[in-house]
Amino acid sequence: MRPVCCLLLCTLLSACNSDPSTGTGGADSTTTTETIQCDPPSPGSKVPFVDVTDEWNLTFEHHATTEFCDITDTVGGPGVCAFDADGDGDVDLYFLDREGFPNKLYRNDGQTFTDVTEGSGAGLTDDSHACLAFDYDGDGDLDLFVGNSGPDKLLKNTGGVFEDVTEELGLIETGYTTTATAADIDVDGDLDLFVGHLVTPETCPAGFCSPTPKACEAETNMLWVNTGGMFINESDARGITHQEPTLASLFFDFDSDGDVDLFVGNDIGSKNPDRLYKNDGTGHFKDAAQGLGLELYGTDTMGIDVGDADGDGKVDIVMTDFELQPTRLITCKDPVLPCDMVGINQESTQTVKWGIALADFDHDTDLDIFHTGGHVNVPVDHAGDLHQLHWNDEEGFFTYHVPSEGEALAERHLGRGAAFADLDGDLDLDIVIANADRPAQILLNQAAGGHALLVQLDSLSAGARVTVQSGGTSRTEHALVGGSYAGSSDPRVHFGLGNTCAVDVLVQWPGGAEKQIKGVSTGQSLLVVRD
């Protein structure tokens, strides 16, 4: 779908000097109705993404082979985090590497990336697999949680320089960490942290370098409650008790009741079903997967994202899986009735799938699917798998984009983590991919043919729901911290809006606070500040 016109009857703020970019006006603003005309959107390219890795000077290359590991695979990494590390308004990148090779921080200098690892405090040389950018101390900048094989690390951000504060905060993690997600589970004003583990390293055979649940024992996942200066492990007390090999996790409001729930995706689902922990409103959880039919669907859940794929106003879940299994779309029409599960199409069975996004890449107002591809335990000269893009036909049915020869998506890689962010300030979502044992990639979006809006909330708004409304239609997306696989994406909430020139925006935070801003012009990054 490619929009061609842009004339809309919109509701605008009557006070012309009100600035919707700061969230002024509110739900009770006096409004008038005016006719607004904006430029028609440009058509998107038939080649949806171009690889600009070399052009933009991104030099990171992952090292799967180390002194203790001589195969080209890692199950559990590498991940990547896309976030504004230095507070200058654009998206920087943080990549993870194996033991002995430093993790790398790259500063966004406008269509070029500069390696600023040295002196940043972020160049850890642990055996790192997963990262999460989140504001643990509520000071407005994004800190870094780094998940390792062995002790994890929490790095405090002080203007783009990072300080290890793990021990003083009590955050003692020792498993093989593969995923993390954060949200305010008890609505006390700070972000709590869930950490998922694949295995217990001490139980693996001697000399292991690519642990699997078949060879090692699983590790209990951890729920760390933020007490405003310390993290306390309250997993058992809060209802997170399962010991399973976990690869994916995400906090989001599954049932739209105003608190954040937790989805946990496990490896070897025939023995380790996925979990949907519902929040009772106080930050205590109970697994509801069985009643929703979700415990039967986990085969090898490796990546996760959420959004409204079919336009019915309900949140849907999309998950990657192993080869021969499709990418799965779970739609839940009622928060207490069994959900429906479908494989999105046959083409998605042709690769081992990891990082994933359910997002509007072409700005036609429905959500598409992108996932990385990369096999496991392969020889050095293995060609790899294709990353895949699947277009939404507006009703939640997906068609595989068949890449032409020479396209970036026609190249084979050993894909793992992926982060999704507007890297060049044009309001569409670009893709950063961390490949195992190979160079990372930047795929620049060329497909976006419609208008768009980015909604930026405060750094403690994980789990908030953002709704845009226009012409009697509405769409709701979630503010997320985590998701995809082993990393985190640009925290701004993205909407592709087709030929729509202006929308009303409603933000609903966990705990019940709301703010409505009317007559927001598309084509901007809107900052919404809580009262």
Side-chain angles (χ1 to χ4, degrees), residues 427-442:
L427 300 182
D428 58 32
L429 292 181
D430 310 302
I431 305 174
V432 183
I433 300 172
N435 293 304
D437 203 43
R438 299 185 184 182
Q441 295 172 270
I442 297 175

Side-chain angles (χ1 to χ4, degrees), residues 6-12 32-38 501:
C6 190
L7 184 64
L8 181 70
L9 192 67
C10 303
T11 303
L12 296 180
T32 59
T33 301
E34 298 181 14
T35 301
I36 295 299
Q37 186 170 1
C38 58
C501 301

Side-chain angles (χ1 to χ4, degrees), residues 94 97 101-103 117 121-126 128 146 148 153 155 164:
Y94 184 65
D97 214 336
F101 297 95
N103 300 341
T117 307
L124 306 179
T125 55
D126 304 316
S128 298
V146 182
N148 301 314
K153 299 290 176 64
L155 306 180
D164 186 348

Side-chain angles (χ1 to χ4, degrees), residues 71-110:
I71 63 173
T72 60
D73 173 61
T74 58
V75 176
V80 56
C81 282
F83 71 112
D84 186 359
D86 50 11
D88 65 352
D90 54 26
V91 178
D92 310 300
L93 303 175
Y94 184 65
F95 291 92
L96 306 177
D97 214 336
R98 298 300 306 263
E99 182 178 331
F101 297 95
N103 300 341
K104 292 284 189 174
L105 179 64
Y106 288 85
R107 185 182 65 219
N108 188 339
D109 287 326

Side-chain angles (χ1 to χ4, degrees), residues 123-154:
L124 306 179
T125 55
D126 304 316
D127 196 16
S128 298
H129 305 291
C131 61
L132 188 76
F134 78 113
D135 185 6
Y136 85 87
D137 53 1
D139 64 354
D141 56 23
L142 297 181
D143 311 295
L144 274 173
F145 172 80
V146 182
N148 301 314
S149 176
D152 295 337
K153 299 290 176 64
L154 182 61

Side-chain angles (χ1 to χ4, degrees), residues 39 71 104 107 117 146 174 192 201 207 225 264 270 279 315 320 328 389 423 435 451 461 481 499 520:
D39 294 333
I71 63 173
K104 292 284 189 174
R107 185 182 65 219
T117 307
V146 182
T174 59
D192 309 294
V225 175
V264 176
S270 58
N279 192 334
V315 65
T320 49
R328 306 191 301 281
L389 174 64
L423 297 178
N435 293 304
H451 298 301
S461 290
V481 176
N499 59 1
V520 177

